[in-house]
């Protein structure tokens, strides 16, 4: 298997940040779902942690976030310096598969040779960074 060069312009990350977080009620509310909370007391929201994790291995311009129109400002306020052009805003909630399909379409229009990884924004990673995990192979 050839070595994976993570600095390739053909690799993209789609971070899903449009969910309402209803499974974590009462902590997570529709107005402020779990991806925008410092749920585990780390000093960063789950979205911030996910973005920073992928920024270690991909250029920021290759990281896209898909979210609902209601969370547009929350995303932009959570990630100072994040390019608004990398924000894919859904007009209404359509769930996971349509969000991924539309984001994949957006990436394909930018780079027909692009490969994507889809990452939920609401996970806590306790393992090494993606770069560390790749380099240990």
């Amino acid at each position: 298997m050839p070595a994976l060069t993570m600095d390739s312009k053909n690799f993209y990350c789609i971070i899903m940040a449009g969910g309402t977080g209803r499974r974590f009620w009462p902590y997570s509310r529709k107005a402020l779902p779990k991806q925008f909370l410092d749920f585990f007391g780390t000093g960063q929201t789950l979205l911030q942690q996910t973005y920073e994790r992928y920024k270690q291995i991909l250029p920021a311009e290759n990281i896209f976030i898909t979210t609902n129109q209601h969370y547009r400002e929350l995303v932009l306020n959570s990630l100072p310096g994040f390019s608004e052009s990398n924000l894919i805003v859904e007009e209404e909630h359509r769930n996971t598969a349509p969000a991924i399909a539309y984001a994949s379409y957006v990436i394909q229009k930018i780079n027909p040779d692009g490969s994507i990884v889809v990452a939920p924004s609401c996970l806590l990673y306790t393992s090494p960074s993606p770069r560390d995990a790749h380099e240990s192979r």
Side-chain angles (χ1 to χ4, degrees):
M1 178 176 199
L4 182 63
T5 55
M6 298 307 280
D7 59 352
S8 171
K9 293 292 184 185
N10 288 335
F11 290 104
Y12 294 83
C13 178
I14 299 168
I15 299 173
M16 297 182 304
T20 59
R22 68 182 180 272
R23 290 182 202 93
F24 282 119
W25 183 90
Y27 304 106
S28 179
R29 305 291 180 129
K30 190 172 184 178
L32 193 66
K34 64 184 180 276
Q35 63 266 29
F36 303 109
L37 299 175
D38 179 5
F39 201 76
F40 296 100
T42 63
Q44 287 187 309
T45 67
L46 295 173
L47 174 61
Q48 290 168 332
Q49 288 180 30
T50 303
Y51 179 72
E52 291 301 322
R53 185 175 177 82
Y54 282 95
K55 218 166 82 170
Q56 293 176 38
I57 58 170
L58 292 173
E61 63 267 17
N62 286 27
I63 302 172
F64 288 75
I65 297 175
T66 182
T67 194
N68 183 273
Q69 65 179 345
H70 300 294
Y71 305 136
R72 180 183 177 283
E73 293 304 317
L74 281 171
V75 170
L76 294 173
N77 291 335
S78 294
L79 300 170
F82 179 76
S83 175
E84 192 170 349
S85 64
N86 285 36
L87 187 61
I88 301 169
V89 179
E90 306 162 347
E91 293 301 314
E92 52 187 88
H93 290 283
R94 296 282 187 194
N95 292 322
T96 304
I100 294 170
Y102 182 62
S104 298
Y105 171 79
V106 169
I107 303 288
Q108 190 272 332
K109 288 293 186 189
I110 294 168
N111 183 348
D113 297 321
S115 295
I116 64 166
V117 62
V118 177
S121 62
C122 56
L123 296 179
L124 173 67
Y125 294 96
T126 59
S127 64
S129 74
R131 181 176 295 284
D132 293 341
H134 173 71
E135 290 174 357
S136 69
R137 288 185 180 177

